[in-house]
Amino acid sequence: MTKHEGPPSTPRWVIVFGIIVIVLVLLFVILKIIGIGGEHGPSRHFSLNGVGYDVSLVEQGSTES
């Protein structure tokens, strides 16, 4: 009888890379859930119409400084 071989096994580097990616994604999710790192997003780095409005004023609907 001949030995039936299945598909080749996954290389070790692929498994290690997958584990690292999963750990980093879980770390990111945990940090977002517990709120470490503050608020991030486009409004933190860009201003409206080239004028540096305070985000708290924009959130309240006021554009006056």
Side-chain angles (χ1 to χ4, degrees), residues 23-41:
V23 168
L24 289 175
V25 168
L26 287 174
L27 180 64
F28 175 76
V29 169
I30 291 169
L31 289 176
K32 289 302 283 182
I33 289 173
I34 61 176
I36 294 178
E39 293 294 322
H40 289 89

Side-chain angles (χ1 to χ4, degrees), residues 4 7 15 18 20 24 32 41 46 54 58 61 65:
H4 183 276
I15 295 171
I20 291 172
L24 289 175
K32 289 302 283 182
F46 298 108
D54 184 13
V58 174
S65 297

Side-chain angles (χ1 to χ4, degrees), residues 32 38-59:
K32 289 302 283 182
E39 293 294 322
H40 289 89
S43 62
R44 181 175 180 179
H45 301 287
F46 298 108
S47 61
L48 301 172
N49 299 326
V51 179
Y53 291 118
D54 184 13
V55 174
S56 61
L57 295 175
V58 174
E59 288 174 353

